[in-house]
Amino acid sequence: MERADLQRLFDSKIEQEIRIEPKDWMPEAYRKTNLRQISQHAHSEIVGMLPEANWITRAPSLRRKVALLAKVQDEAGHGLYLYSAAETLGSSRDEMMDDLNSGKAKYSSIFNYPTLNWADIGAIGWLVDGAAITNQVALCRTSYGPYARAMVRICKEESFHQRQGYEIMMSMAFGTTEQKAMAQDALNRWWWPALMMFGPNDSDSVHSKQSLDWKIKRFSNDDLRQEFVDKSIPQVEYLGLTLPDPDLKWNEERGHYDFGPIDWDEFYRVVSGNGPCNKERLEARNNAHNNGAWVREAALAFAEKRQVNVA
Amino acid sequence: MNSKKWPLFEVFVRSKNGLSHKHVGSLHAADPNMALENARDVYCRRNEGVSIWVVPSNHITASDPGDAEELYEPAKDKIYRHPTFYTIPDEIGHM
Amino acid sequence: MSPNQSFDLCLRMGDNALILGQRLSEWCGHGPILEQDIALTNISLDLMGQARLWLSLAGQVEGQGRDEDRLAFFRDASEFRHLNLCEQPNGHWGTTILRQFLFDAFHLTLLEQLCKVEDEQISGIALKSVKEVRYHLRWSSEWVIRLGDGTPESHLKMEEALRDVWPYAGEALQPNSLDEQLEMHAAPYNLNQVSELWWSTVQNVFSQANLEAPARTWAPQKGREGIHTERLGFILAEMQFLPRAYPDAQW
């Protein structure tokens, strides 16, 4: 087929909501954009394991401990499904890991914040997973097949994550004075970073328009952020906690909540490597990778030996 | 940085008896046995499978979407392969 | 089985699973490859699940209102009844694997016996656990072999692991007074049989791994009697901090 025909075929698939599959022809920029977005998403999942894994050994009940362990394990699995989807676009797990470990690849900036008390685990499940879900449900209809299928799988597993988080917030907010203080403290620290998860305002977002045209992204950053805010306010009120936003108020005319300005300086600072825990997160990933090199080599060497013997 | 890599395996899971194996994704393992165990750990944590197949990804031969015309188009004309082509009287019941 | 014997047995089984599960959970996010991170976490989850069952039953049998959390978070070191093997540090991947294998080889055989005891509450937990532990033993055996017979570097690391972990391997197999009572009142419980099967499993796997089992003699360890190593204090300080700092809190 001629290049022009291929482009037309591709465009019509996008328009008709027919999924693009791994061996289909696609514009190089489409392939690159998907690869960047999917691998970033995968990196976010596995770096995201770290702030929560911090508290596994300190979980305050056995039930909470197993729920947290299962949740963090799910995140590893999600990372894996996404790396798997990204590999169909011409990259490899090793290449992607190297990009992450060297600092070249980005991951969601939210995971560069520290988990300081047990209520942070509740706040993360409720707000961070909550924000992720808002984003992810939309992605189940993304145009690239393997990415959409990975998202469907992820969404199925994600709902327990948010419920687990909110349940922790409830025990804390309705608990002792100290617990309630921990809950409020966690909310104060996680609210704004959670809003930043949706990315820059649409007007400032470099990749947004093309991603929307190609249906890689289904809704704009600002739309999703607004949806998240509107959903969360009643949940905050139910807990009897307050949001660290004096400008928050219901706007009858718009039918949405108005909220205060986001500190984009903080966002860019954290995204570019200067957040509270960027260094520690990368260090942890590099250590795991480097300390595990002898293990990976041994497993391969063993497999090769056995193959030779069998043949 | 070791240049040797753990190969990629595609994973197929039969979620219950009576159904076919379905492709669920891929993972890396050093050998087929490890791949099978990893597949169980990654894709069947919620009791989602009775049978797992793993295949090294480079053992899969895939058709080229560009060949779609020769491979698939002719079949679309042969509508008599579809049950809806035939009219069965209602008295016969479900067929 | 008397309630006392049942209580002690449940504590032993539960504490083994809890402390070892806790150690394994330290690996979460730090494994050598994503797939193995998930695999090891599964084993940790299985063990924690078993710990909850054993500790709940212990509390029930004791009849003083202590539940799984009360037992896990409010006992001090000397009241824990696990094997000192379980509290040893993770070290590198090979140390963790070897510790796991030596424990699994014992754990599976013991559970198989407990599946057949008359006490249905105990056999019930054993029946549920044995399926999981069968997989644990398969997984850890394969890794011992893979690392023992992998590269020269991995072989050296396994020998290093062996030196660190072997001194704690024998406690499980040395009968104390509880074992003697259980042998009398809880057939087919028999530690000698467990010991023989354990030794043959270890020799079989070690020979495939090009590893040599050190001598089958050990200096006494008394973890089952509450005399642990210096490691336990730190594990408990981390694990028990929150409930102890806020004793009135519900979580």
Side-chain angles (χ1 to χ4, degrees), chain A residues 163-196:
Chain A
R163 277 205 284 275
Q164 175 245 29
Y166 195 68
E167 214 190 71
I168 291 175
M169 289 306 287
M170 286 195 292
S171 330
M172 304 293 279
F174 302 146
T176 65
T177 320
E178 290 100 341
Q179 283 178 303
K180 182 163 179 170
M182 284 188 235
Q184 183 62 65
D185 174 49
L187 180 55
N188 290 344
R189 284 180 287 102
W190 288 93
W191 175 253
W192 289 107
L195 293 195
M196 291 179 204

mmCIF file of all heavy atoms in Angstrom, chain A residues 163-196:
data_model
loop_
_atom_site.group_PDB
_atom_site.id
_atom_site.type_symbol
_atom_site.label_atom_id
_atom_site.label_comp_id
_atom_site.label_asym_id
_atom_site.label_seq_id
_atom_site.Cartn_x
_atom_site.Cartn_y
_atom_site.Cartn_z
ATOM 1 N N ARG A 163 -10.745 1.893 47.795
ATOM 2 C CA ARG A 163 -11.593 1.591 48.954
ATOM 3 C C ARG A 163 -10.738 1.349 50.191
ATOM 4 O O ARG A 163 -11.057 1.810 51.290
ATOM 5 C CB ARG A 163 -12.455 0.363 48.669
ATOM 6 C CG ARG A 163 -13.705 0.692 47.891
ATOM 7 C CD ARG A 163 -14.778 -0.349 48.157
ATOM 8 N NE ARG A 163 -14.500 -1.578 47.446
ATOM 9 C CZ ARG A 163 -14.846 -1.797 46.187
ATOM 10 N NH1 ARG A 163 -15.467 -0.868 45.502
ATOM 11 N NH2 ARG A 163 -14.552 -2.947 45.616
ATOM 12 N N GLN A 164 -9.652 0.626 50.012
ATOM 13 C CA GLN A 164 -8.755 0.339 51.139
ATOM 14 C C GLN A 164 -8.236 1.656 51.723
ATOM 15 O O GLN A 164 -8.204 1.841 52.941
ATOM 16 C CB GLN A 164 -7.604 -0.551 50.633
ATOM 17 C CG GLN A 164 -6.527 -0.840 51.627
ATOM 18 C CD GLN A 164 -5.189 -0.242 51.219
ATOM 19 O OE1 GLN A 164 -5.104 0.772 50.542
ATOM 20 N NE2 GLN A 164 -4.116 -0.876 51.625
ATOM 21 N N GLY A 165 -7.842 2.579 50.844
ATOM 22 C CA GLY A 165 -7.316 3.863 51.300
ATOM 23 C C GLY A 165 -8.356 4.662 52.068
ATOM 24 O O GLY A 165 -8.077 5.199 53.149
ATOM 25 N N TYR A 166 -9.549 4.718 51.512
ATOM 26 C CA TYR A 166 -10.590 5.522 52.154
ATOM 27 C C TYR A 166 -10.992 4.926 53.494
ATOM 28 O O TYR A 166 -11.263 5.641 54.458
ATOM 29 C CB TYR A 166 -11.799 5.670 51.231
ATOM 30 C CG TYR A 166 -12.746 6.773 51.674
ATOM 31 C CD1 TYR A 166 -12.352 8.110 51.610
ATOM 32 C CD2 TYR A 166 -14.001 6.477 52.194
ATOM 33 C CE1 TYR A 166 -13.204 9.129 52.030
ATOM 34 C CE2 TYR A 166 -14.861 7.495 52.615
ATOM 35 C CZ TYR A 166 -14.453 8.816 52.524
ATOM 36 O OH TYR A 166 -15.294 9.826 52.948
ATOM 37 N N GLU A 167 -10.988 3.606 53.563
ATOM 38 C CA GLU A 167 -11.317 2.935 54.819
ATOM 39 C C GLU A 167 -10.298 3.292 55.900
ATOM 40 O O GLU A 167 -10.658 3.510 57.066
ATOM 41 C CB GLU A 167 -11.313 1.415 54.597
ATOM 42 C CG GLU A 167 -12.329 0.671 55.423
ATOM 43 C CD GLU A 167 -12.132 -0.838 55.348
ATOM 44 O OE1 GLU A 167 -11.143 -1.344 55.926
ATOM 45 O OE2 GLU A 167 -12.977 -1.487 54.724
ATOM 46 N N ILE A 168 -9.052 3.359 55.521
ATOM 47 C CA ILE A 168 -8.019 3.770 56.476
ATOM 48 C C ILE A 168 -8.280 5.212 56.916
ATOM 49 O O ILE A 168 -8.211 5.521 58.114
ATOM 50 C CB ILE A 168 -6.605 3.652 55.858
ATOM 51 C CG1 ILE A 168 -6.241 2.182 55.656
ATOM 52 C CG2 ILE A 168 -5.569 4.319 56.750
ATOM 53 C CD1 ILE A 168 -4.920 1.956 54.944
ATOM 54 N N MET A 169 -8.595 6.081 55.984
ATOM 55 C CA MET A 169 -8.890 7.480 56.337
ATOM 56 C C MET A 169 -10.048 7.547 57.313
ATOM 57 O O MET A 169 -10.031 8.337 58.258
ATOM 58 C CB MET A 169 -9.224 8.307 55.090
ATOM 59 C CG MET A 169 -8.073 8.587 54.170
ATOM 60 S SD MET A 169 -6.637 9.343 54.964
ATOM 61 C CE MET A 169 -7.208 11.011 55.244
ATOM 62 N N MET A 170 -11.057 6.716 57.098
ATOM 63 C CA MET A 170 -12.208 6.715 58.012
ATOM 64 C C MET A 170 -11.801 6.286 59.414
ATOM 65 O O MET A 170 -12.157 6.940 60.405
ATOM 66 C CB MET A 170 -13.321 5.809 57.474
ATOM 67 C CG MET A 170 -14.063 6.417 56.288
ATOM 68 S SD MET A 170 -15.634 5.611 55.905
ATOM 69 C CE MET A 170 -15.084 4.024 55.333
ATOM 70 N N SER A 171 -11.042 5.195 59.527
ATOM 71 C CA SER A 171 -10.615 4.767 60.873
ATOM 72 C C SER A 171 -9.831 5.862 61.563
ATOM 73 O O SER A 171 -9.939 6.041 62.771
ATOM 74 C CB SER A 171 -9.712 3.539 60.869
ATOM 75 O OG SER A 171 -9.968 2.697 59.832
ATOM 76 N N MET A 172 -9.010 6.553 60.779
ATOM 77 C CA MET A 172 -8.181 7.596 61.387
ATOM 78 C C MET A 172 -9.017 8.823 61.744
ATOM 79 O O MET A 172 -8.947 9.342 62.861
ATOM 80 C CB MET A 172 -7.057 8.010 60.425
ATOM 81 C CG MET A 172 -6.159 6.888 59.950
ATOM 82 S SD MET A 172 -5.134 6.169 61.242
ATOM 83 C CE MET A 172 -3.806 7.365 61.319
ATOM 84 N N ALA A 173 -9.827 9.272 60.774
ATOM 85 C CA ALA A 173 -10.602 10.503 60.993
ATOM 86 C C ALA A 173 -11.638 10.343 62.103
ATOM 87 O O ALA A 173 -11.961 11.307 62.796
ATOM 88 C CB ALA A 173 -11.271 10.941 59.696
ATOM 89 N N PHE A 174 -12.144 9.122 62.258
ATOM 90 C CA PHE A 174 -13.156 8.884 63.303
ATOM 91 C C PHE A 174 -12.544 8.253 64.540
ATOM 92 O O PHE A 174 -13.256 7.785 65.423
ATOM 93 C CB PHE A 174 -14.271 7.973 62.769
ATOM 94 C CG PHE A 174 -14.966 8.506 61.541
ATOM 95 C CD1 PHE A 174 -15.427 7.630 60.565
ATOM 96 C CD2 PHE A 174 -15.147 9.865 61.355
ATOM 97 C CE1 PHE A 174 -16.058 8.110 59.415
ATOM 98 C CE2 PHE A 174 -15.767 10.355 60.215
ATOM 99 C CZ PHE A 174 -16.230 9.475 59.239
ATOM 100 N N GLY A 175 -11.202 8.228 64.618
ATOM 101 C CA GLY A 175 -10.534 7.542 65.719
ATOM 102 C C GLY A 175 -10.148 8.463 66.868
ATOM 103 O O GLY A 175 -10.880 9.389 67.226
ATOM 104 N N THR A 176 -8.981 8.215 67.421
ATOM 105 C CA THR A 176 -8.534 9.028 68.557
ATOM 106 C C THR A 176 -8.087 10.411 68.060
ATOM 107 O O THR A 176 -7.935 10.634 66.857
ATOM 108 C CB THR A 176 -7.341 8.367 69.264
ATOM 109 O OG1 THR A 176 -6.230 8.348 68.344
ATOM 110 C CG2 THR A 176 -7.666 6.947 69.707
ATOM 111 N N THR A 177 -7.872 11.307 69.003
ATOM 112 C CA THR A 177 -7.421 12.662 68.648
ATOM 113 C C THR A 177 -6.134 12.620 67.833
ATOM 114 O O THR A 177 -5.975 13.334 66.840
ATOM 115 C CB THR A 177 -7.139 13.479 69.934
ATOM 116 O OG1 THR A 177 -8.144 13.190 70.891
ATOM 117 C CG2 THR A 177 -7.126 14.970 69.626
ATOM 118 N N GLU A 178 -5.199 11.755 68.286
ATOM 119 C CA GLU A 178 -3.928 11.658 67.549
ATOM 120 C C GLU A 178 -4.142 11.141 66.134
ATOM 121 O O GLU A 178 -3.517 11.605 65.187
ATOM 122 C CB GLU A 178 -2.950 10.708 68.265
ATOM 123 C CG GLU A 178 -2.410 11.229 69.575
ATOM 124 C CD GLU A 178 -3.149 10.615 70.753
ATOM 125 O OE1 GLU A 178 -4.269 10.103 70.538
ATOM 126 O OE2 GLU A 178 -2.594 10.637 71.865
ATOM 127 N N GLN A 179 -5.032 10.141 65.990
ATOM 128 C CA GLN A 179 -5.286 9.590 64.667
ATOM 129 C C GLN A 179 -5.895 10.633 63.744
ATOM 130 O O GLN A 179 -5.527 10.741 62.569
ATOM 131 C CB GLN A 179 -6.224 8.387 64.762
ATOM 132 C CG GLN A 179 -5.539 7.115 65.245
ATOM 133 C CD GLN A 179 -6.519 5.963 65.358
ATOM 134 O OE1 GLN A 179 -7.518 6.050 66.068
ATOM 135 N NE2 GLN A 179 -6.236 4.887 64.644
ATOM 136 N N LYS A 180 -6.843 11.392 64.286
ATOM 137 C CA LYS A 180 -7.484 12.417 63.467
ATOM 138 C C LYS A 180 -6.454 13.463 63.023
ATOM 139 O O LYS A 180 -6.467 13.906 61.875
ATOM 140 C CB LYS A 180 -8.617 13.075 64.250
ATOM 141 C CG LYS A 180 -9.333 14.104 63.430
ATOM 142 C CD LYS A 180 -10.693 14.493 63.972
ATOM 143 C CE LYS A 180 -11.279 15.563 63.031
ATOM 144 N NZ LYS A 180 -12.673 15.854 63.292
ATOM 145 N N ALA A 181 -5.543 13.810 63.939
ATOM 146 C CA ALA A 181 -4.496 14.780 63.582
ATOM 147 C C ALA A 181 -3.608 14.226 62.467
ATOM 148 O O ALA A 181 -3.230 14.942 61.537
ATOM 149 C CB ALA A 181 -3.665 15.122 64.808
ATOM 150 N N MET A 182 -3.308 12.932 62.538
ATOM 151 C CA MET A 182 -2.493 12.308 61.487
ATOM 152 C C MET A 182 -3.225 12.367 60.157
ATOM 153 O O MET A 182 -2.625 12.640 59.111
ATOM 154 C CB MET A 182 -2.211 10.844 61.818
ATOM 155 C CG MET A 182 -1.154 10.613 62.877
ATOM 156 S SD MET A 182 -0.790 8.840 62.983
ATOM 157 C CE MET A 182 -1.073 8.526 64.701
ATOM 158 N N ALA A 183 -4.531 12.107 60.196
ATOM 159 C CA ALA A 183 -5.318 12.102 58.961
ATOM 160 C C ALA A 183 -5.338 13.491 58.325
ATOM 161 O O ALA A 183 -5.153 13.640 57.120
ATOM 162 C CB ALA A 183 -6.743 11.623 59.245
ATOM 163 N N GLN A 184 -5.560 14.503 59.165
ATOM 164 C CA GLN A 184 -5.601 15.871 58.640
ATOM 165 C C GLN A 184 -4.237 16.262 58.078
ATOM 166 O O GLN A 184 -4.137 16.877 57.011
ATOM 167 C CB GLN A 184 -6.021 16.859 59.740
ATOM 168 C CG GLN A 184 -6.164 18.306 59.274
ATOM 169 C CD GLN A 184 -7.243 18.474 58.205
ATOM 170 O OE1 GLN A 184 -8.428 18.260 58.441
ATOM 171 N NE2 GLN A 184 -6.826 18.844 56.994
ATOM 172 N N ASP A 185 -3.185 15.876 58.780
ATOM 173 C CA ASP A 185 -1.828 16.178 58.338
ATOM 174 C C ASP A 185 -1.546 15.532 56.979
ATOM 175 O O ASP A 185 -0.997 16.166 56.070
ATOM 176 C CB ASP A 185 -0.837 15.657 59.396
ATOM 177 C CG ASP A 185 0.602 15.791 58.957
ATOM 178 O OD1 ASP A 185 0.990 16.884 58.499
ATOM 179 O OD2 ASP A 185 1.354 14.794 59.052
ATOM 180 N N ALA A 186 -1.958 14.288 56.830
ATOM 181 C CA ALA A 186 -1.746 13.587 55.563
ATOM 182 C C ALA A 186 -2.502 14.276 54.436
ATOM 183 O O ALA A 186 -1.966 14.495 53.341
ATOM 184 C CB ALA A 186 -2.174 12.121 55.682
ATOM 185 N N LEU A 187 -3.753 14.623 54.701
ATOM 186 C CA LEU A 187 -4.560 15.291 53.675
ATOM 187 C C LEU A 187 -3.927 16.619 53.265
ATOM 188 O O LEU A 187 -3.850 16.946 52.074
ATOM 189 C CB LEU A 187 -5.980 15.510 54.200
ATOM 190 C CG LEU A 187 -6.978 16.195 53.264
ATOM 191 C CD1 LEU A 187 -7.073 15.474 51.927
ATOM 192 C CD2 LEU A 187 -8.359 16.261 53.921
ATOM 193 N N ASN A 188 -3.443 17.371 54.277
ATOM 194 C CA ASN A 188 -2.791 18.656 53.987
ATOM 195 C C ASN A 188 -1.615 18.487 53.044
ATOM 196 O O ASN A 188 -1.372 19.318 52.180
ATOM 197 C CB ASN A 188 -2.282 19.313 55.284
ATOM 198 C CG ASN A 188 -3.417 19.802 56.163
ATOM 199 O OD1 ASN A 188 -4.559 19.928 55.718
ATOM 200 N ND2 ASN A 188 -3.111 20.071 57.420
ATOM 201 N N ARG A 189 -0.871 17.391 53.228
ATOM 202 C CA ARG A 189 0.322 17.204 52.402
ATOM 203 C C ARG A 189 0.035 16.553 51.070
ATOM 204 O O ARG A 189 0.784 16.742 50.118
ATOM 205 C CB ARG A 189 1.375 16.381 53.157
ATOM 206 C CG ARG A 189 2.114 17.186 54.232
ATOM 207 C CD ARG A 189 3.152 16.352 54.986
ATOM 208 N NE ARG A 189 2.553 15.396 55.896
ATOM 209 C CZ ARG A 189 2.433 14.099 55.640
ATOM 210 N NH1 ARG A 189 2.883 13.586 54.523
ATOM 211 N NH2 ARG A 189 1.863 13.298 56.530
ATOM 212 N N TRP A 190 -1.005 15.773 50.898
ATOM 213 C CA TRP A 190 -1.220 15.028 49.649
ATOM 214 C C TRP A 190 -2.232 15.655 48.681
ATOM 215 O O TRP A 190 -2.278 15.266 47.510
ATOM 216 C CB TRP A 190 -1.614 13.573 49.963
ATOM 217 C CG TRP A 190 -0.450 12.790 50.478
ATOM 218 C CD1 TRP A 190 -0.104 12.601 51.790
ATOM 219 C CD2 TRP A 190 0.557 12.119 49.709
ATOM 220 N NE1 TRP A 190 1.049 11.850 51.883
ATOM 221 C CE2 TRP A 190 1.477 11.544 50.623
ATOM 222 C CE3 TRP A 190 0.773 11.948 48.336
ATOM 223 C CZ2 TRP A 190 2.593 10.813 50.201
ATOM 224 C CZ3 TRP A 190 1.886 11.223 47.934
ATOM 225 C CH2 TRP A 190 2.782 10.652 48.856
ATOM 226 N N TRP A 191 -3.033 16.586 49.185
ATOM 227 C CA TRP A 191 -4.094 17.117 48.327
ATOM 228 C C TRP A 191 -3.556 17.788 47.061
ATOM 229 O O TRP A 191 -3.945 17.433 45.951
ATOM 230 C CB TRP A 191 -4.985 18.084 49.110
ATOM 231 C CG TRP A 191 -6.020 18.750 48.251
ATOM 232 C CD1 TRP A 191 -6.034 20.053 47.840
ATOM 233 C CD2 TRP A 191 -7.173 18.130 47.663
ATOM 234 N NE1 TRP A 191 -7.140 20.296 47.043
ATOM 235 C CE2 TRP A 191 -7.851 19.134 46.915
ATOM 236 C CE3 TRP A 191 -7.704 16.837 47.678
ATOM 237 C CZ2 TRP A 191 -9.027 18.895 46.202
ATOM 238 C CZ3 TRP A 191 -8.877 16.595 46.969
ATOM 239 C CH2 TRP A 191 -9.531 17.616 46.243
ATOM 240 N N TRP A 192 -2.687 18.794 47.235
ATOM 241 C CA TRP A 192 -2.199 19.525 46.059
ATOM 242 C C TRP A 192 -1.379 18.647 45.111
ATOM 243 O O TRP A 192 -1.588 18.677 43.896
ATOM 244 C CB TRP A 192 -1.418 20.773 46.485
ATOM 245 C CG TRP A 192 -2.315 21.833 47.061
ATOM 246 C CD1 TRP A 192 -2.426 22.191 48.372
ATOM 247 C CD2 TRP A 192 -3.259 22.634 46.349
ATOM 248 N NE1 TRP A 192 -3.369 23.165 48.516
ATOM 249 C CE2 TRP A 192 -3.905 23.469 47.308
ATOM 250 C CE3 TRP A 192 -3.624 22.743 45.006
ATOM 251 C CZ2 TRP A 192 -4.887 24.396 46.951
ATOM 252 C CZ3 TRP A 192 -4.605 23.665 44.661
ATOM 253 C CH2 TRP A 192 -5.232 24.485 45.625
ATOM 254 N N PRO A 193 -0.449 17.832 45.628
ATOM 255 C CA PRO A 193 0.250 16.920 44.716
ATOM 256 C C PRO A 193 -0.707 16.014 43.942
ATOM 257 O O PRO A 193 -0.457 15.726 42.767
ATOM 258 C CB PRO A 193 1.159 16.105 45.656
ATOM 259 C CG PRO A 193 1.424 17.017 46.805
ATOM 260 C CD PRO A 193 0.138 17.777 46.984
ATOM 261 N N ALA A 194 -1.817 15.612 44.575
ATOM 262 C CA ALA A 194 -2.772 14.775 43.859
ATOM 263 C C ALA A 194 -3.382 15.549 42.684
ATOM 264 O O ALA A 194 -3.546 15.007 41.589
ATOM 265 C CB ALA A 194 -3.873 14.279 44.794
ATOM 266 N N LEU A 195 -3.693 16.818 42.902
ATOM 267 C CA LEU A 195 -4.252 17.622 41.806
ATOM 268 C C LEU A 195 -3.235 17.801 40.686
ATOM 269 O O LEU A 195 -3.585 17.863 39.512
ATOM 270 C CB LEU A 195 -4.692 19.004 42.305
ATOM 271 C CG LEU A 195 -5.869 19.063 43.276
ATOM 272 C CD1 LEU A 195 -6.401 20.491 43.369
ATOM 273 C CD2 LEU A 195 -6.990 18.132 42.855
ATOM 274 N N MET A 196 -1.964 17.867 41.070
ATOM 275 C CA MET A 196 -0.904 18.043 40.059
ATOM 276 C C MET A 196 -0.728 16.799 39.204
ATOM 277 O O MET A 196 -0.139 16.864 38.124
ATOM 278 C CB MET A 196 0.417 18.390 40.741
ATOM 279 C CG MET A 196 0.445 19.759 41.382
ATOM 280 S SD MET A 196 2.042 20.035 42.181
ATOM 281 C CE MET A 196 1.617 21.257 43.399
#
